[in-house]
Amino acid sequence: MKAVYFDTHGSLDALTYGEIADPVPPAGWVKVKVGACALNYLDVFSRRGMPGIKVELPGITGGDCAGTVAETGEGVTGWAPGDRVLINPAFVDDRSGHFEMMGETRRGAMAEYCICRADQLIPVPTHVSDEAAAALPVAYGTAYRMLFTRGGLKAGETILILGASGGVGTACLLLAKMAGAHVVAAAGSPDKCRRLTELGADETIDYSAEAIDAYTRKRTGSLFRGGGWDVVVNFTGGDSWVPSLRTVKRGGRLLTCGATAGFDPRTDIRFIFMAEMSILGSTGFTKDDIAACLDLVAEGRLDPVIDKVLPLSEGREGVRLLEDREVFGKVIIRPGLDA
């Protein structure tokens, strides 16, 4: 089969588009013909190499996948070739605690075919496209869990979303608006802010021109006069961490699910105790979180933001766009476009 893979960790140049052996589903697994694969930062981090995480080489990234069942392994029931499916990319063995992630600890879906356990499959309604379904698991499942399962976001609350133009960011914006929140979306250019307004953001902050904490104080007032936002979402970390602490309302919540700009930033404990804020971590998603998002798409209440759809042969370019932060929403890879 054709795939985008790497034989060694490294820069973008480590990625190759070419032939690799077809996967064979063992007992209890299924082989899926990839209809669409959505890119995420795991496609960058897995290729570069991550401390403490062993990646199977040659490595194939791609955690998000929608497609059709091509073959079932021994003992699989309830699924048959031709069934349209969405894959939950995460798997945890309840007995051993062993964790696997497609595109990280085992090969993913940046290929014509991939394999997964049968219990990772979620049926896709006929009127939901592969592209829309594939956009959901990592970005929208993560956003759904962070905002609602962990964050308890409610109608009428104010929420600041950092990195709002990316996959998780646009997911947070759409889900927060659906919940009835007042959304302040932060991005790094006037054009991205304009597009965020078109998506429904009530306010935007172009942090290339104005610091998020300065805007917050100017807009809402000082901390002890009720200033700040009820909820702040920061999944970038790095240099944005301390400024985001300064934007949380007294008694508010700071939500985090990642650290794309750095996992060990300096901090300032004073803002944490003076604002009496809660800092809530959220890691990934469950099958139920993904299914809830898929239901919202099927009901017409959620329309995932897709920036570009590229053929598999341009998979490396898709990763570059993500790595260089030149995307708004999701980049989708479709193997069928190469035919």
Side-chain angles (χ1 to χ4, degrees), residues 29-331:
W29 290 54
V30 297
K31 180 178 179 180
V32 174
K33 182 179 181 181
V34 178
C37 170
L39 300 184
N40 300 281
Y41 270 91
L42 72 83
D43 297 280
V44 175
F45 297 145
S46 293
R47 186 206 72 234
R48 289 177 179 172
M50 298 173 286
I53 297 180
K54 185 176 181 180
V55 175
E56 178 184 6
L57 297 175
I60 300 175
T61 63
D64 285 337
C65 172
T68 56
V69 174
E71 182 183 344
T72 59
E74 182 182 351
V76 172
T77 60
W79 301 100
D83 288 344
R84 295 189 64 230
V85 294
L86 175 63
I87 299 175
N88 172 13
F91 171 78
V92 179
D93 188 317
D94 293 334
R95 292 171 297 179
S96 67
H98 175 68
F99 173 80
E100 290 182 0
M101 181 72 183
M102 284 184 62
E104 287 186 350
T105 60
R106 63 180 174 84
R107 290 174 181 168
M110 277 267 276
E112 293 179 307
Y113 294 93
C114 66
I115 58 173
C116 68
R117 292 171 177 83
D119 61 7
Q120 291 178 258
L121 299 180
I122 302 169
V124 175
T126 55
H127 59 287
V128 176
S129 69
D130 284 344
E131 292 91 340
L136 297 177
V138 171
Y140 287 77
T142 294
Y144 186 94
R145 181 172 185 80
M146 178 171 54
L147 294 185
F148 304 122
T149 309
R150 293 287 295 148
L153 182 66
K154 300 183 292 292
E157 290 191 307
T158 58
I159 179 171
L160 168 63
I161 303 167
L162 277 69
S165 62
V168 176
T170 52
C172 286
L173 191 164
L174 294 178
L175 291 169
K177 286 300 296 180
M178 187 183 67
H182 179 95
V183 176
V184 184
S189 73
D191 181 62
K192 288 181 177 179
C193 286
R194 175 187 59 78
R195 296 177 72 178
L196 290 167
T197 299
E198 292 171 354
L199 274 185
D202 298 288
E203 303 177 45
T204 61
I205 305 173
D206 174 5
Y207 54 71
S208 69
E210 184 172 16
I212 59 168
D213 48 345
Y215 177 90
T216 298
R217 290 291 173 257
K218 180 178 69 177
R219 170 71 175 77
T220 68
S222 67
L223 177 65
F224 293 105
R225 288 184 176 273
W229 315 107
D230 295 308
V231 178
V232 175
V233 172
N234 183 328
F235 48 80
T236 55
D239 292 340
S240 71
W241 184 249
V242 171
S244 69
L245 292 175
R246 299 186 183 116
T247 67
V248 182
K249 191 174 185 177
R250 189 169 171 83
R253 289 104 71 200
L254 176 59
L255 310 181
T256 179
C257 67
T260 56
F263 64 87
D264 57 349
R266 61 180 291 270
T267 193
D268 194 326
I269 296 172
R270 294 173 299 176
F271 292 104
I272 298 172
F273 65 73
M274 291 300 288
E276 294 188 331
M277 73 177 73
S278 297
I279 299 178
L280 299 172
S282 182
T283 182
F285 42 82
T286 66
K287 195 172 183 178
D288 288 343
D289 296 322
I290 299 171
C293 292
L294 187 58
D295 287 343
L296 292 172
V297 174
E299 294 164 5
R301 300 174 59 197
L302 178 64
D303 185 13
V305 180
I306 296 173
D307 188 309
K308 289 179 176 61
V309 179
L310 301 173
L312 182 61
S313 58
E314 296 182 29
R316 185 166 73 171
E317 171 63 8
V319 177
R320 185 200 67 77
L321 291 169
L322 185 71
E323 200 163 356
D324 291 345
R325 301 182 184 276
E326 295 179 15
V327 301
F328 186 90
K330 302 294 292 181
V331 174

